[in-house]
Amino acid sequence: MRKLFFLTAVAVFAASSMFAQKSALRDAKRSLGSNDLNEARTLIKQATTNAETANDPETWKIFGDIGNKAFDNERTNEMLGKQANQEVMFNGLLESYVPYLKADSLGELPDEKGKVKNKFRKDIAGVLKANHPFYINGGIFFNEKQQYAKASDFFEIYWNIPSLPMFAGQKDPFLIDSTFQTIKYYAIITAIQAQDHKRALAMLKRAASEPFIANSAYQESDIYELIASEYIQQGDTAKYIETLYEGAEKFPKSKYFTPNLVNVFIRQGDNQKAMEYLDEAIKNDPSNACDLNSVKGALLAEKGDFAAAEEEYNKALTQDPNCERALEALAVNFILQAQNLKEKTATMSDRKLQLENDKKTVDFYQRALPHLEKFTKSLKDRTADKTEIDGALMKLRNVYYNLSMMGVDKSAQLKQVEAELGL
């Protein structure tokens, strides 16, 4: 008899526990209806942690409705021209999202007969569709407050909503346009600003895998540049180089991927590979001659092929007469040849050959001069860093000095340059 009484007592206790939780659910709903959102939150959070109601779709639907109500209250004030608390409004919008998703996913579970009766999906889908544009506003609001991680949450939710299962099969429920593409970028950038690089990289990969829509904020190649940058941030050199290869293939006219690949090859000492990629890049983007041909010229000069290097620098200057990189490099190309010839001449005993070499040396210095003078003027005109200008002036000083020592009077120019250098 005692055993039977005990079992009956346990059953009664379990039933009353379930009743209490269901009652809490009803009370939360009642508080929501009377706009007592703090009370409603307290009650619904109890229900979300209790085994009897935690897996009930209605629990999570009410939870989402509470956040949505907070959003609606302030949004209504805003529409009526009353004072609205935007932080409360957008926090409510954010608060509603995850519970709504959980309510929908629980509602999709089959019952004991194997049937799915999701009585909340239509209502949730309607709310999310109506609220969709406001996630942009929430992202902008928290971005301006420099709460970048939270801003990224809003932008990413805006990105996520159209691909939710509840909208599958619907014909064009959302406008997927340039604005939508731009918000993807904002989600990524705010994640980077929040220094959540793992999250940013995941979003970048997702963006790269989805169709790209032309927009005014960024180009498709920017996604791959950011992927490469994130791999550098993580110290993953192999993935960085892999991304450079992919970017160079997809965007041959980009000024990022091939030049960076070339730099990698140069650092690795593989000048042959660097040259191959440069030739391909020059073919794909002849308008980028200033950088590409100048780099090729530098590689040739490093091998001692000064004539071929000169040809590349001149190609760069033909495309852009003010290309500083080529102006400096061509001047240095002549200076190196002059110095090499001077060193060679110093070991000679044949006076006739010495004179011939001196003449050639002077010619090299004189050919360097106009390019070096133009390069220096260009630096000054754009108010370049003092170290850059001083570097150019030191090269000019070298040329003026050597020409003066070899019978071409540049003493006035030498004096002026030394004064500028404070010597």
Side-chain angles (χ1 to χ4, degrees):
M1 180 64 71
R2 288 182 180 177
K3 186 176 182 181
L4 178 61
F5 175 78
F6 176 75
L7 291 173
T8 304
V10 170
V12 170
F13 176 78
S16 78
S17 174
M18 182 180 293
F19 176 80
Q21 291 308 315
K22 288 292 184 182
S23 177
L25 206 56
R26 285 196 299 271
D27 289 344
K29 201 170 183 179
R30 191 178 299 113
S31 297
L32 173 61
S34 62
N35 213 20
D36 187 350
L37 300 187
N38 288 333
E39 177 69 15
R41 283 191 182 97
T42 300
L43 291 166
I44 204 65
K45 284 177 182 176
Q46 292 173 9
T48 62
T49 58
N50 187 276
E52 304 299 339
T53 48
N55 293 317
D56 185 341
E58 187 176 17
T59 299
W60 296 95
K61 169 65 165 57
I62 293 170
F63 199 165
D65 286 343
I66 293 167
N68 187 55
K69 182 68 172 175
F71 168 72
D72 273 345
N73 287 343
E74 300 303 325
R75 175 70 181 142
T76 300
N77 286 338
E78 198 173 61
M79 290 172 67
L80 295 174
K82 297 180 181 179
Q83 185 67 35
N85 187 324
Q86 288 198 317
E87 188 152 5
V88 169
M89 178 169 70
F90 292 123
N91 278 331
L93 183 64
L94 186 62
E95 180 187 17
S96 70
Y97 182 68
V98 171
Y100 274 154
L101 293 195
K102 185 150 188 177
D104 182 65
S105 65
L106 288 171
E108 286 295 292
L109 295 175
D111 60 19
E112 60 277 3
K113 295 180 180 179
K115 293 183 178 180
V116 174
K117 297 177 181 178
N118 190 348
K119 62 181 181 179
F120 300 113
R121 169 164 279 197
K122 185 177 179 181
D123 188 23
I124 292 170
V127 172
L128 288 178
K129 186 174 180 183
N131 288 351
H132 184 234
F134 295 101
Y135 283 96
I136 298 177
N137 301 10
I140 292 170
F141 176 79
F142 286 106
N143 181 63
E144 288 175 351
K145 293 173 77 68
Q146 297 184 354
Q147 295 183 30
Y148 300 119
K150 201 165 186 178
S152 188
D153 289 339
F154 278 88
F155 293 135
E156 189 176 15
I157 289 170
Y158 178 86
W159 182 359
N160 288 339
I161 286 175
S163 57
L164 292 175
M166 67 183 74
F167 298 110
Q170 294 188 26
K171 187 177 180 182
D172 303 324
F174 296 92
L175 179 63
I176 307 300
D177 58 1
S178 59
T179 297
F180 185 79
Q181 188 72 44
T182 300
I183 300 307
K184 295 183 186 183
Y185 185 67
Y186 291 170
I188 293 162
I189 293 301
T190 46
I192 292 172
Q193 287 175 302
Q195 297 187 26
D196 191 345
H197 297 287
K198 184 177 179 181
R199 180 185 185 187
L201 185 57
M203 286 195 283
L204 282 163
K205 289 180 178 180
R206 177 185 170 189
S209 71
E210 294 177 352
F212 181 80
I213 301 167
N215 63 89
S216 59
Y218 69 113
Q219 299 176 342
E220 187 177 8
S221 60
D222 293 342
I223 293 292
Y224 291 82
E225 287 187 29
L226 285 170
I227 291 173
S229 176
E230 286 304 303
Y231 280 130
I232 286 291
Q233 178 73 30
Q234 294 182 14
D236 194 335
T237 306
K239 285 290 185 182
Y240 168 67
I241 295 173
E242 183 181 308
T243 304
L244 291 181
Y245 274 116
E246 186 177 2
E249 186 175 342
K250 284 180 70 74
F251 311 103
K253 291 184 184 255
S254 168
K255 292 177 172 58
Y256 178 86
F257 301 104
T258 297
N260 275 290
L261 261 181
V262 169
N263 287 336
V264 168
F265 296 140
I266 291 171
R267 286 197 299 272
Q268 292 175 344
D270 193 346
N271 286 3
Q272 182 58 40
K273 197 76 173 284
M275 199 73 77
E276 289 171 9
Y277 263 81
L278 276 170
D279 287 338
E280 187 66 23
I282 291 166
K283 184 176 74 175
N284 290 328
D285 187 17
S287 65
N288 195 17
C290 177
D291 287 330
L292 298 176
N293 288 92
S294 294
V295 173
K296 186 177 179 182
L299 290 175
L300 290 165
E302 191 176 316
K303 289 165 51 178
D305 195 343
F306 296 112
E310 181 183 342
E311 187 179 342
E312 294 301 323
Y313 297 139
N314 281 325
K315 285 178 184 176
L317 290 170
T318 298
Q319 183 71 243
D320 177 7
N322 298 310
C323 174
E324 289 182 358
R325 192 169 187 171
L327 286 169
E328 181 186 25
L330 185 54
V332 170
N333 199 49
F334 290 130
I335 291 170
L336 287 174
Q337 292 178 83
Q339 290 174 344
N340 290 344
L341 201 53
K342 272 184 69 178
E343 290 173 8
K344 184 179 179 180
T345 304
T347 64
M348 290 180 173
S349 57
D350 189 319
R351 185 58 185 159
K352 184 179 178 183
L353 286 177
Q354 284 179 333
L355 291 172
E356 288 177 2
N357 278 0
D358 284 345
K359 186 178 178 181
K360 290 176 184 177
T361 301
V362 167
D363 182 57
F364 279 132
Y365 279 127
Q366 286 183 320
R367 290 173 71 185
L369 203 50
H371 303 296
L372 198 50
E373 288 172 337
K374 186 174 181 179
F375 171 63
T376 307
K377 183 178 183 303
S378 178
L379 292 178
K380 290 178 180 178
D381 288 347
R382 67 174 174 85
T383 321
D385 188 84
K386 186 177 183 301
T387 56
E388 285 187 83
I389 295 173
D390 285 352
L393 289 172
M394 286 298 293
K395 292 184 182 75
L396 269 177
R397 179 176 181 266
N398 174 280
V399 173
Y400 290 144
Y401 175 81
N402 278 288
L403 283 173
S404 295
M405 292 295 291
M406 299 183 77
V408 181
D409 186 14
K410 294 290 181 181
S411 55
Q413 292 91 330
L414 179 61
K415 186 176 180 181
Q416 181 182 338
V417 166
E418 288 181 338
E420 287 186 65
L421 286 167
L423 299 176

PDB file of all heavy atoms in Angstrom, residues 184-206:
ATOM      1  N   LYS A 184      26.318  42.266 -47.280  1.00  0.00           N
ATOM      2  CA  LYS A 184      27.260  41.160 -47.036  1.00  0.00           C
ATOM      3  C   LYS A 184      28.641  41.733 -46.683  1.00  0.00           C
ATOM      4  O   LYS A 184      29.307  41.276 -45.758  1.00  0.00           O
ATOM      5  CB  LYS A 184      27.400  40.285 -48.286  1.00  0.00           C
ATOM      6  CG  LYS A 184      26.171  39.527 -48.717  1.00  0.00           C
ATOM      7  CD  LYS A 184      26.537  38.671 -49.933  1.00  0.00           C
ATOM      8  CE  LYS A 184      25.352  37.985 -50.545  1.00  0.00           C
ATOM      9  NZ  LYS A 184      25.743  37.111 -51.673  1.00  0.00           N
ATOM     10  N   TYR A 185      29.036  42.731 -47.453  1.00  0.00           N
ATOM     11  CA  TYR A 185      30.346  43.357 -47.252  1.00  0.00           C
ATOM     12  C   TYR A 185      30.424  44.021 -45.883  1.00  0.00           C
ATOM     13  O   TYR A 185      31.419  43.902 -45.176  1.00  0.00           O
ATOM     14  CB  TYR A 185      30.570  44.386 -48.362  1.00  0.00           C
ATOM     15  CG  TYR A 185      31.930  45.034 -48.371  1.00  0.00           C
ATOM     16  CD1 TYR A 185      33.077  44.298 -48.655  1.00  0.00           C
ATOM     17  CD2 TYR A 185      32.071  46.400 -48.125  1.00  0.00           C
ATOM     18  CE1 TYR A 185      34.328  44.896 -48.691  1.00  0.00           C
ATOM     19  CE2 TYR A 185      33.311  47.011 -48.158  1.00  0.00           C
ATOM     20  CZ  TYR A 185      34.442  46.254 -48.437  1.00  0.00           C
ATOM     21  OH  TYR A 185      35.671  46.853 -48.463  1.00  0.00           O
ATOM     22  N   TYR A 186      29.328  44.704 -45.496  1.00  0.00           N
ATOM     23  CA  TYR A 186      29.298  45.340 -44.177  1.00  0.00           C
ATOM     24  C   TYR A 186      29.419  44.305 -43.063  1.00  0.00           C
ATOM     25  O   TYR A 186      30.079  44.547 -42.044  1.00  0.00           O
ATOM     26  CB  TYR A 186      28.005  46.141 -43.998  1.00  0.00           C
ATOM     27  CG  TYR A 186      27.887  47.383 -44.846  1.00  0.00           C
ATOM     28  CD1 TYR A 186      26.682  48.080 -44.930  1.00  0.00           C
ATOM     29  CD2 TYR A 186      28.967  47.872 -45.570  1.00  0.00           C
ATOM     30  CE1 TYR A 186      26.555  49.223 -45.715  1.00  0.00           C
ATOM     31  CE2 TYR A 186      28.852  49.006 -46.353  1.00  0.00           C
ATOM     32  CZ  TYR A 186      27.641  49.674 -46.423  1.00  0.00           C
ATOM     33  OH  TYR A 186      27.532  50.805 -47.196  1.00  0.00           O
ATOM     34  N   ALA A 187      28.763  43.165 -43.234  1.00  0.00           N
ATOM     35  CA  ALA A 187      28.850  42.092 -42.226  1.00  0.00           C
ATOM     36  C   ALA A 187      30.297  41.651 -42.060  1.00  0.00           C
ATOM     37  O   ALA A 187      30.785  41.452 -40.935  1.00  0.00           O
ATOM     38  CB  ALA A 187      27.971  40.913 -42.640  1.00  0.00           C
ATOM     39  N   ILE A 188      30.991  41.512 -43.177  1.00  0.00           N
ATOM     40  CA  ILE A 188      32.390  41.061 -43.160  1.00  0.00           C
ATOM     41  C   ILE A 188      33.304  42.119 -42.538  1.00  0.00           C
ATOM     42  O   ILE A 188      34.116  41.822 -41.657  1.00  0.00           O
ATOM     43  CB  ILE A 188      32.848  40.739 -44.593  1.00  0.00           C
ATOM     44  CG1 ILE A 188      32.093  39.515 -45.128  1.00  0.00           C
ATOM     45  CG2 ILE A 188      34.348  40.514 -44.650  1.00  0.00           C
ATOM     46  CD1 ILE A 188      32.148  39.361 -46.636  1.00  0.00           C
ATOM     47  N   ILE A 189      33.150  43.360 -42.992  1.00  0.00           N
ATOM     48  CA  ILE A 189      34.036  44.437 -42.533  1.00  0.00           C
ATOM     49  C   ILE A 189      33.877  44.693 -41.043  1.00  0.00           C
ATOM     50  O   ILE A 189      34.862  44.902 -40.325  1.00  0.00           O
ATOM     51  CB  ILE A 189      33.778  45.735 -43.336  1.00  0.00           C
ATOM     52  CG1 ILE A 189      34.194  45.543 -44.800  1.00  0.00           C
ATOM     53  CG2 ILE A 189      34.511  46.912 -42.723  1.00  0.00           C
ATOM     54  CD1 ILE A 189      35.652  45.183 -44.997  1.00  0.00           C
ATOM     55  N   THR A 190      32.625  44.665 -40.543  1.00  0.00           N
ATOM     56  CA  THR A 190      32.430  44.897 -39.107  1.00  0.00           C
ATOM     57  C   THR A 190      32.990  43.733 -38.289  1.00  0.00           C
ATOM     58  O   THR A 190      33.482  43.937 -37.177  1.00  0.00           O
ATOM     59  CB  THR A 190      30.944  45.133 -38.778  1.00  0.00           C
ATOM     60  OG1 THR A 190      30.124  44.161 -39.443  1.00  0.00           O
ATOM     61  CG2 THR A 190      30.513  46.523 -39.202  1.00  0.00           C
ATOM     62  N   ALA A 191      32.950  42.521 -38.830  1.00  0.00           N
ATOM     63  CA  ALA A 191      33.576  41.383 -38.138  1.00  0.00           C
ATOM     64  C   ALA A 191      35.091  41.582 -38.066  1.00  0.00           C
ATOM     65  O   ALA A 191      35.725  41.293 -37.047  1.00  0.00           O
ATOM     66  CB  ALA A 191      33.244  40.072 -38.846  1.00  0.00           C
ATOM     67  N   ILE A 192      35.672  42.096 -39.141  1.00  0.00           N
ATOM     68  CA  ILE A 192      37.114  42.384 -39.147  1.00  0.00           C
ATOM     69  C   ILE A 192      37.429  43.491 -38.145  1.00  0.00           C
ATOM     70  O   ILE A 192      38.401  43.408 -37.389  1.00  0.00           O
ATOM     71  CB  ILE A 192      37.581  42.779 -40.568  1.00  0.00           C
ATOM     72  CG1 ILE A 192      37.482  41.573 -41.514  1.00  0.00           C
ATOM     73  CG2 ILE A 192      39.015  43.313 -40.534  1.00  0.00           C
ATOM     74  CD1 ILE A 192      37.731  41.909 -42.973  1.00  0.00           C
ATOM     75  N   GLN A 193      36.576  44.533 -38.116  1.00  0.00           N
ATOM     76  CA  GLN A 193      36.784  45.629 -37.167  1.00  0.00           C
ATOM     77  C   GLN A 193      36.681  45.132 -35.718  1.00  0.00           C
ATOM     78  O   GLN A 193      37.350  45.651 -34.836  1.00  0.00           O
ATOM     79  CB  GLN A 193      35.757  46.741 -37.409  1.00  0.00           C
ATOM     80  CG  GLN A 193      36.023  47.546 -38.677  1.00  0.00           C
ATOM     81  CD  GLN A 193      34.927  48.561 -38.944  1.00  0.00           C
ATOM     82  OE1 GLN A 193      33.750  48.209 -39.083  1.00  0.00           O
ATOM     83  NE2 GLN A 193      35.292  49.821 -38.995  1.00  0.00           N
ATOM     84  N   ALA A 194      35.830  44.117 -35.521  1.00  0.00           N
ATOM     85  CA  ALA A 194      35.695  43.517 -34.189  1.00  0.00           C
ATOM     86  C   ALA A 194      36.850  42.567 -33.883  1.00  0.00           C
ATOM     87  O   ALA A 194      36.897  41.977 -32.799  1.00  0.00           O
ATOM     88  CB  ALA A 194      34.361  42.779 -34.088  1.00  0.00           C
ATOM     89  N   GLN A 195      37.750  42.397 -34.867  1.00  0.00           N
ATOM     90  CA  GLN A 195      38.912  41.501 -34.759  1.00  0.00           C
ATOM     91  C   GLN A 195      38.497  40.042 -34.565  1.00  0.00           C
ATOM     92  O   GLN A 195      39.242  39.248 -33.980  1.00  0.00           O
ATOM     93  CB  GLN A 195      39.847  41.959 -33.637  1.00  0.00           C
ATOM     94  CG  GLN A 195      40.442  43.335 -33.911  1.00  0.00           C
ATOM     95  CD  GLN A 195      41.496  43.746 -32.902  1.00  0.00           C
ATOM     96  OE1 GLN A 195      42.144  42.917 -32.294  1.00  0.00           O
ATOM     97  NE2 GLN A 195      41.680  45.045 -32.728  1.00  0.00           N
ATOM     98  N   ASP A 196      37.321  39.719 -35.084  1.00  0.00           N
ATOM     99  CA  ASP A 196      36.867  38.323 -35.067  1.00  0.00           C
ATOM    100  C   ASP A 196      37.217  37.730 -36.431  1.00  0.00           C
ATOM    101  O   ASP A 196      36.372  37.574 -37.312  1.00  0.00           O
ATOM    102  CB  ASP A 196      35.359  38.255 -34.806  1.00  0.00           C
ATOM    103  CG  ASP A 196      34.879  36.835 -34.512  1.00  0.00           C
ATOM    104  OD1 ASP A 196      35.646  35.881 -34.789  1.00  0.00           O
ATOM    105  OD2 ASP A 196      33.747  36.678 -34.027  1.00  0.00           O
ATOM    106  N   HIS A 197      38.496  37.420 -36.594  1.00  0.00           N
ATOM    107  CA  HIS A 197      39.000  37.040 -37.912  1.00  0.00           C
ATOM    108  C   HIS A 197      38.500  35.665 -38.362  1.00  0.00           C
ATOM    109  O   HIS A 197      38.322  35.432 -39.560  1.00  0.00           O
ATOM    110  CB  HIS A 197      40.527  37.099 -37.920  1.00  0.00           C
ATOM    111  CG  HIS A 197      41.040  38.483 -37.673  1.00  0.00           C
ATOM    112  ND1 HIS A 197      40.953  39.478 -38.615  1.00  0.00           N
ATOM    113  CD2 HIS A 197      41.608  39.057 -36.575  1.00  0.00           C
ATOM    114  CE1 HIS A 197      41.459  40.598 -38.123  1.00  0.00           C
ATOM    115  NE2 HIS A 197      41.857  40.370 -36.883  1.00  0.00           N
ATOM    116  N   LYS A 198      38.263  34.781 -37.429  1.00  0.00           N
ATOM    117  CA  LYS A 198      37.714  33.470 -37.783  1.00  0.00           C
ATOM    118  C   LYS A 198      36.328  33.629 -38.397  1.00  0.00           C
ATOM    119  O   LYS A 198      36.005  33.023 -39.423  1.00  0.00           O
ATOM    120  CB  LYS A 198      37.651  32.579 -36.544  1.00  0.00           C
ATOM    121  CG  LYS A 198      37.187  31.164 -36.827  1.00  0.00           C
ATOM    122  CD  LYS A 198      37.222  30.309 -35.561  1.00  0.00           C
ATOM    123  CE  LYS A 198      36.731  28.889 -35.861  1.00  0.00           C
ATOM    124  NZ  LYS A 198      36.738  28.046 -34.628  1.00  0.00           N
ATOM    125  N   ARG A 199      35.514  34.468 -37.761  1.00  0.00           N
ATOM    126  CA  ARG A 199      34.165  34.730 -38.281  1.00  0.00           C
ATOM    127  C   ARG A 199      34.234  35.441 -39.625  1.00  0.00           C
ATOM    128  O   ARG A 199      33.497  35.099 -40.556  1.00  0.00           O
ATOM    129  CB  ARG A 199      33.400  35.589 -37.270  1.00  0.00           C
ATOM    130  CG  ARG A 199      31.977  35.925 -37.705  1.00  0.00           C
ATOM    131  CD  ARG A 199      31.324  36.872 -36.707  1.00  0.00           C
ATOM    132  NE  ARG A 199      29.934  37.100 -37.042  1.00  0.00           N
ATOM    133  CZ  ARG A 199      29.162  37.989 -36.427  1.00  0.00           C
ATOM    134  NH1 ARG A 199      29.646  38.707 -35.435  1.00  0.00           N
ATOM    135  NH2 ARG A 199      27.906  38.140 -36.803  1.00  0.00           N
ATOM    136  N   ALA A 200      35.101  36.424 -39.727  1.00  0.00           N
ATOM    137  CA  ALA A 200      35.235  37.181 -40.975  1.00  0.00           C
ATOM    138  C   ALA A 200      35.631  36.268 -42.132  1.00  0.00           C
ATOM    139  O   ALA A 200      35.076  36.364 -43.229  1.00  0.00           O
ATOM    140  CB  ALA A 200      36.262  38.298 -40.804  1.00  0.00           C
ATOM    141  N   LEU A 201      36.576  35.366 -41.873  1.00  0.00           N
ATOM    142  CA  LEU A 201      37.028  34.458 -42.923  1.00  0.00           C
ATOM    143  C   LEU A 201      35.907  33.524 -43.364  1.00  0.00           C
ATOM    144  O   LEU A 201      35.736  33.266 -44.562  1.00  0.00           O
ATOM    145  CB  LEU A 201      38.228  33.650 -42.436  1.00  0.00           C
ATOM    146  CG  LEU A 201      38.890  32.727 -43.460  1.00  0.00           C
ATOM    147  CD1 LEU A 201      39.342  33.506 -44.698  1.00  0.00           C
ATOM    148  CD2 LEU A 201      40.084  32.011 -42.841  1.00  0.00           C
ATOM    149  N   ALA A 202      35.113  33.039 -42.405  1.00  0.00           N
ATOM    150  CA  ALA A 202      33.984  32.163 -42.751  1.00  0.00           C
ATOM    151  C   ALA A 202      32.979  32.905 -43.631  1.00  0.00           C
ATOM    152  O   ALA A 202      32.474  32.352 -44.619  1.00  0.00           O
ATOM    153  CB  ALA A 202      33.304  31.662 -41.481  1.00  0.00           C
ATOM    154  N   MET A 203      32.712  34.158 -43.303  1.00  0.00           N
ATOM    155  CA  MET A 203      31.775  34.950 -44.106  1.00  0.00           C
ATOM    156  C   MET A 203      32.361  35.265 -45.480  1.00  0.00           C
ATOM    157  O   MET A 203      31.640  35.279 -46.483  1.00  0.00           O
ATOM    158  CB  MET A 203      31.393  36.231 -43.375  1.00  0.00           C
ATOM    159  CG  MET A 203      30.431  36.000 -42.223  1.00  0.00           C
ATOM    160  SD  MET A 203      29.633  37.516 -41.632  1.00  0.00           S
ATOM    161  CE  MET A 203      30.945  38.243 -40.680  1.00  0.00           C
ATOM    162  N   LEU A 204      33.654  35.518 -45.535  1.00  0.00           N
ATOM    163  CA  LEU A 204      34.304  35.789 -46.821  1.00  0.00           C
ATOM    164  C   LEU A 204      34.203  34.586 -47.754  1.00  0.00           C
ATOM    165  O   LEU A 204      33.913  34.735 -48.946  1.00  0.00           O
ATOM    166  CB  LEU A 204      35.769  36.159 -46.597  1.00  0.00           C
ATOM    167  CG  LEU A 204      36.026  37.586 -46.120  1.00  0.00           C
ATOM    168  CD1 LEU A 204      37.423  37.730 -45.524  1.00  0.00           C
ATOM    169  CD2 LEU A 204      35.835  38.570 -47.268  1.00  0.00           C
ATOM    170  N   LYS A 205      34.451  33.407 -47.197  1.00  0.00           N
ATOM    171  CA  LYS A 205      34.345  32.195 -48.013  1.00  0.00           C
ATOM    172  C   LYS A 205      32.912  31.988 -48.498  1.00  0.00           C
ATOM    173  O   LYS A 205      32.681  31.571 -49.639  1.00  0.00           O
ATOM    174  CB  LYS A 205      34.813  30.982 -47.205  1.00  0.00           C
ATOM    175  CG  LYS A 205      36.308  30.940 -46.969  1.00  0.00           C
ATOM    176  CD  LYS A 205      36.684  29.704 -46.165  1.00  0.00           C
ATOM    177  CE  LYS A 205      38.173  29.593 -45.948  1.00  0.00           C
ATOM    178  NZ  LYS A 205      38.546  28.401 -45.170  1.00  0.00           N
ATOM    179  N   ARG A 206      31.968  32.284 -47.626  1.00  0.00           N
ATOM    180  CA  ARG A 206      30.563  32.160 -48.017  1.00  0.00           C
ATOM    181  C   ARG A 206      30.239  33.151 -49.140  1.00  0.00           C
ATOM    182  O   ARG A 206      29.590  32.786 -50.127  1.00  0.00           O
ATOM    183  CB  ARG A 206      29.669  32.434 -46.800  1.00  0.00           C
ATOM    184  CG  ARG A 206      28.178  32.405 -47.132  1.00  0.00           C
ATOM    185  CD  ARG A 206      27.334  32.786 -45.934  1.00  0.00           C
ATOM    186  NE  ARG A 206      25.956  32.991 -46.322  1.00  0.00           N
ATOM    187  CZ  ARG A 206      25.015  33.493 -45.530  1.00  0.00           C
ATOM    188  NH1 ARG A 206      25.336  33.836 -44.279  1.00  0.00           N
ATOM    189  NH2 ARG A 206      23.784  33.662 -45.959  1.00  0.00           N
TER     190      ARG A 206
END
